[in-house]
Amino acid sequence: MKHTPKVAAIHDISGYGRCSLTVALPTLAAMGVQCCPMPTAYLSAHTAFPPSEHAVFLDLSDQMAETAAHWSELHAQFDAIYSGFLGSARQADLLADFIARFRSGGETLVLVDPVMGDNGKPYRTYTPELCRKMRSLAACADVITPNITEAAMLLEQPYDSMPTDRAGLERLLVSLSLDGRRSVVLTGVSLADGSIGSACLEQTHGEISFHMSKEETGYFHGTGDLFASVLLGGLLRGERLGDATARAVSFVQTCIAHTLRMDAPVLEGVAFEPLLGTLMQG
Ligand code: PXL
């Protein structure tokens, strides 16, 4: 029987509003991947909802360290380590330790989604220290999946200086790859009105490709998490980076179009659940 790939998924769990673990778990499961969650924090709702005195933000850093110790004792092994939103700067250090402990040579794929911001701005909980630590964490990844805002933050360049033309984006991919040491999938790339997608650089061959689809109107929360989860599922099925990127671009677009047809509240994220079945066939 074929081995079921196993992923250590290190993200927050937000009770309301689809993002991070509530997206990664079902998406990876639908793609035939076993997901072992290590929650970084519990939030009553993701941080894009309006602030509230009742909002819960439970930092689970102490539990992360204990979980890593327990998993070591169990001789846990992972085909991939997948991280996203972090609750504090300390968690970036915990994650770096986790990667050092559980990465077994070239066998374990490390995907760091450097979640830090969008639309030119950092997320509310992202301090300059956390962003600095995210940069060093991303430096030990095999694949990173920044949006344009995060690309600017990783390179410590102003958002307004980010390129929008093909040649400039290709140069940006090369800079983000740290001269070919890691693969990069840049999200939220647009080369023409009405279309949006991703550009990727595959580390092993230095191959660059662009994957576009129809641009849907409206901003949906958690699409980056959905994108990275589908991408990782594809890579663990043995797809090339360009093919996995194309699948992720197309799936996210289909889910957004479906959500718009249903007229669902945008802050709740994309209604991907009815479409998960389409990911099951290889
Ligand atoms: O989708 C990224 C993300 C994940 N988790 C939480 C967030 C965000 C973005 O705002 O708030 C809690």
Side-chain angles (χ1 to χ4, degrees):
M1 218 197 302
K2 221 168 83 189
H3 147 87
T4 302
K6 202 187 289 169
V7 172
I10 307 174
H11 304 250
D12 69 283
I13 180 149
S14 291
Y16 203 68
R18 301 173 186 86
C19 67
S20 38
L21 278 179
T22 58
V23 169
L25 279 161
T27 304
L28 286 164
M31 297 182 81
V33 175
Q34 179 190 348
C35 199
C36 304
M38 181 189 283
T40 56
Y42 171 73
L43 291 85
S44 42
H46 65 55
T47 60
F49 282 102
S52 157
E53 57 176 303
H54 301 296
V56 175
F57 189 116
L58 181 64
D59 186 314
L60 296 173
S61 304
D62 292 341
Q63 289 70 24
M64 285 171 70
E66 282 303 306
T67 304
H70 190 191
W71 286 1
S72 267
E73 205 175 272
L74 297 174
H75 306 291
Q77 287 186 334
F78 302 101
D79 298 283
I81 298 171
Y82 170 31
S83 73
F85 182 94
L86 297 179
S88 65
R90 184 179 159 216
Q91 293 190 347
D93 295 331
L94 287 166
L95 199 48
D97 289 346
F98 184 92
I99 293 171
R101 197 192 283 202
F102 287 94
R103 178 184 242 163
S104 47
E107 302 291 297
T108 309
L109 179 75
V110 176
L111 190 156
V112 172
D113 185 4
V115 176
M116 290 188 281
D118 208 353
N119 294 315
K121 291 194 218 68
Y123 292 130
R124 190 150 35 91
T125 52
Y126 271 69
T127 61
E129 190 199 5
L130 179 49
C131 294
R132 187 170 49 77
K133 297 229 164 165
M134 186 65 100
R135 267 194 294 279
S136 15
L137 189 63
C140 51
D142 298 306
V143 186
I144 59 167
T145 52
N147 59 30
I148 306 275
T149 304
E150 291 155 351
M153 292 166 84
L154 286 174
L155 297 173
E156 295 181 84
Q157 287 173 8
Y159 176 68
D160 294 341
S161 71
M162 288 295 104
T164 49
D165 62 308
R166 185 180 279 263
L169 288 162
E170 289 182 0
R171 283 194 299 274
L172 181 63
L173 284 170
V174 173
S175 310
L176 287 166
S177 76
L178 303 177
D179 292 322
R181 289 206 301 282
R182 62 184 178 195
S183 292
V184 180
V185 182
L186 185 63
T187 64
V189 166
S190 181
L191 293 171
D193 284 350
S195 97
I196 192 159
S198 293
C200 65
L201 180 151
E202 184 169 44
Q203 179 257 330
T204 38
H205 303 92
E207 209 170 79
I208 291 183
S209 52
F210 286 73
H211 306 273
M212 297 296 156
S213 72
K214 176 173 174 285
E215 179 166 17
E216 304 290 347
T217 45
Y219 173 79
F220 286 90
H221 210 73
T223 48
D225 303 322
L226 184 60
F227 179 90
S229 302
V230 175
L231 176 84
L232 179 61
L235 293 176
L236 290 171
R237 277 179 178 171
E239 288 171 11
R240 296 279 303 268
L241 189 75
D243 296 331
T245 300
R247 179 199 291 282
V249 167
S250 148
F251 187 71
V252 171
Q253 186 269 329
T254 311
C255 290
I256 294 177
H258 175 76
T259 310
L260 285 168
R261 279 196 300 276
M262 295 196 328
D263 205 16
V266 293
L267 276 177
E268 292 187 18
V270 287
F272 61 91
E273 297 86 354
L275 295 158
L276 280 177
T278 62
L279 293 175
M280 286 180 190
Q281 309 99 37

